[in-house]
Amino acid sequence: MQNKTEAIAPKPQTNHIAIAIIAGLFFIFGFVTWINGALIPFMKTINELTDAQSYLVASASYISFVVMALPASYIINKVGYKKGMSLGLFVMAFGALIFIPAAEARTYWVFLTGIFIQGLGMTLLQTASNPYITILGPIESAAKRIAIMGIANKVAGALGSLIFGALLLSGIDGVKDKLAFVSEAEKETLLNTMADSVVTPYIVMAIVLLVLGFLIRKAPLPNLEEPETPEETSATTAAKTSVFQYPHLWLGVLTLFFYVGAEVIAGDTIISYGISLGFSSEEAKFFTTFTLLAMVLTYGLGVVLIPKYLKQHKALVISAILGIVFSCCIILTSGLTSVLFVAALGISNALVWPAVWPLTLDGLGKFTKTASALLVMAISGGAVIPPLYGKLVDLNNVSLLSEGLSESEAIAQAATSSYWILIPCYAFILFFAIWGHKFKSWRR
């Protein structure tokens, strides 16, 4: 446990350096997370998967947050924020190296293992960096600081999506056309060659992560402890001994669960969705970038508006309403218009994470690290909801084919109609924004 005598409030200029360093970490796991949009159609092709199976890429990445969040909280309590961040980078580097034997064997579960291990490292980073940036300044402006982190995260995601889209998806349409006509031996050769294209990028990624892991140990990050709050020392909460006594925390965890599921659908399905609507892979590889740029622009608005002109919970209300509206528009439109409404979900998603964290952690004091671990566990929504979307697409596709639709029409309609799964997600976010975050105790 960090020594409380070291928990001296850092000077403003030190804050700026610390914010810049944490933004760099958000850039790293943004880059790694958002390449899933390119990996999903890539894995679907080289491993000959169904839609539901291909979205296990997202599941492998995000289920790690359930497995690792509480252990990560324990580790950070023992070694502190900075060493926890460094360890997270080392684990991510190891996960990247797993892609080498995975490509050699062209075995899906080995790829998923590498993605899962990278997720474990990202869990350590998230569990350390999110509460750290939240308590690095006044709680009222936490959403503004987290919005800055979001800009770094999504700019990196856009770059990662473009780079890996170019590396992995270029020529994939031609390969898929050939697969229908070549012999079994030629097919194996084509798919093995395609699988090998991940080796060099992931070796480079592993080296970069290892170097950064060593550098973060020397970074000038101030020691911080969660401040006691007036709520924590009041007669109402003085007797609280467990996180189970904070209902708004559990509502916040559920909110993040639904939010991350919706965000991953918006970012990771859009390339496959575009392909299902008839766009080429060369065109569709840019679609994830549209979603992320929409998020970056909205993050920028959040930095300017919060908290001076817009309160955190109001931003959450607006975000949830826009999410419901855009989800309905996806279902009711078609073609490029529908794709653009998926991208527009970036607008509704951008300020949810920055708003939910401070609204949920407010007043938790000594329970902040444990609560942060629970919030990080909620990232598992990205492991559950996207595969449900993929399963809906598969089921609807079979149903439409049985009604006599052509294969291209059936997959397009199935992919569009299955976006209804987003509506209950945003409805719960709206509930938390209006009422749930105020429910600070089981008794009033």
Side-chain angles (χ1 to χ4, degrees):
M1 189 76 174
Q2 290 168 301
N3 191 334
K4 293 203 174 192
T5 61
E6 298 176 351
I8 301 171
K11 296 177 182 179
Q13 60 266 35
T14 307
N15 271 1
H16 294 152
I17 295 171
I19 288 171
I21 292 169
I22 302 302
L25 293 179
F26 273 80
F27 185 95
I28 292 162
F29 54 69
F31 188 97
V32 174
T33 299
W34 289 100
I35 60 178
N36 284 345
L39 279 176
I40 287 168
F42 177 79
M43 293 294 176
K44 183 179 179 182
T45 300
I46 67 169
N47 292 292
E48 301 177 279
L49 309 171
T50 66
D51 278 292
Q53 289 170 333
S54 68
Y55 287 114
L56 290 176
V57 167
S59 295
S61 180
Y62 291 101
I63 201 66
S64 58
F65 290 95
V66 174
V67 175
M68 191 63 186
L70 288 175
S73 176
Y74 175 82
I75 290 168
I76 291 162
N77 269 310
K78 289 292 184 183
V79 305
Y81 287 115
K82 187 160 68 172
K83 289 181 180 178
M85 294 173 196
S86 177
L87 179 60
L89 290 165
F90 292 145
V91 174
M92 289 175 68
F94 178 69
L97 292 174
I98 298 294
F99 273 69
I100 300 171
E104 291 297 319
R106 194 165 57 80
T107 304
Y108 191 38
W109 72 264
V110 183
F111 280 114
L112 294 180
T113 300
I115 293 168
F116 174 76
I117 291 172
Q118 284 205 311
L120 295 179
M122 283 192 286
T123 306
L124 269 168
L125 278 180
Q126 292 269 20
T127 306
S129 58
N130 279 290
Y132 189 89
I133 199 67
T134 300
I135 64 175
L136 194 58
I139 194 72
E140 296 80 12
S141 60
K144 178 176 181 176
R145 292 190 298 279
I146 298 175
I148 294 170
M149 302 303 105
I151 291 172
N153 184 275
K154 297 320 183 275
V155 167
L159 288 173
S161 177
L162 286 174
I163 293 169
F164 274 73
L167 292 171
L168 304 183
L169 301 182
S170 293
I172 194 173
D173 292 325
V175 172
K176 286 193 287 188
D177 290 339
K178 290 179 183 177
L179 292 177
F181 304 103
V182 298
S183 68
E184 204 57 40
E186 290 173 315
K187 181 180 178 180
E188 284 294 306
T189 300
L190 279 171
L191 294 178
N192 287 337
T193 301
M194 195 174 171
D196 288 340
S197 63
V198 303
V199 173
T200 300
Y202 274 89
I203 288 176
V204 173
M205 184 188 295
I207 293 170
V208 171
L209 290 169
L210 283 171
V211 171
L212 290 172
F214 285 111
L215 290 178
I216 201 71
R217 295 290 292 270
K218 305 295 183 181
L221 291 174
N223 293 311
L224 293 178
E225 285 292 337
E226 297 75 21
E228 288 194 349
T229 65
E231 286 187 5
E232 188 182 10
T233 55
S234 69
T236 310
T237 58
K240 290 188 176 180
T241 58
S242 167
V243 291
F244 290 102
Q245 295 170 290
Y246 294 91
H248 80 287
L249 164 62
W250 297 98
L251 293 174
V253 169
L254 276 174
T255 300
L256 274 192
F257 178 90
F258 288 118
Y259 157 68
V260 175
E263 183 190 58
V264 172
I265 284 178
D268 285 3
T269 70
I270 191 170
I271 292 177
S272 295
Y273 181 51
I275 293 171
S276 73
L277 295 182
F279 292 93
S280 70
S281 297
E282 287 295 317
E283 295 169 318
K285 71 184 182 184
F286 296 105
F287 290 167
T288 296
T289 305
F290 296 166
T291 304
L292 297 175
L293 289 178
M295 294 189 79
V296 169
L297 292 173
T298 311
Y299 278 132
L301 284 175
V303 171
V304 173
L305 298 177
I306 297 173
K308 187 175 182 181
Y309 303 104
L310 184 65
K311 299 299 182 185
Q312 292 169 158
H313 73 280
K314 292 290 186 184
L316 197 56
V317 170
I318 294 168
S319 297
I321 292 172
L322 286 176
I324 293 170
V325 171
F326 291 150
S327 299
C328 292
C329 290
I330 294 167
I331 298 166
L332 298 174
T333 57
S334 60
L336 182 61
T337 304
S338 186
V339 170
L340 291 177
F341 275 118
V342 177
L345 290 173
I347 299 171
S348 57
N349 290 337
L351 297 180
V352 177
W353 182 277
V356 170
W357 271 84
L359 288 174
T360 305
L361 295 182
D362 188 24
L364 291 178
K366 63 184 179 182
F367 297 109
T368 297
K369 284 191 178 78
T370 303
S372 297
L374 293 171
L375 285 169
V376 168
M377 287 178 73
I379 296 174
S380 61
V384 176
I385 298 174
L388 287 179
Y389 167 81
K391 190 64 176 176
L392 285 172
V393 173
D394 286 340
L395 292 174
N396 289 337
N397 185 38
V398 171
S399 176
L400 290 167
L401 286 171
S402 68
E403 294 174 11
L405 270 68
S406 68
E407 187 174 350
S408 59
E409 290 176 323
I411 189 62
Q413 287 192 30
T416 301
S417 62
S418 298
Y419 277 107
W420 69 261
I421 198 172
L422 292 169
I423 296 173
C425 295
Y426 288 112
F428 193 90
I429 294 169
L430 183 61
F431 159 76
F432 181 78
I434 295 174
W435 182 78
H437 75 279
K438 300 176 183 177
F439 194 20
K440 298 291 179 76
S441 176
W442 295 112
R443 293 180 182 177
R444 305 302 278 172

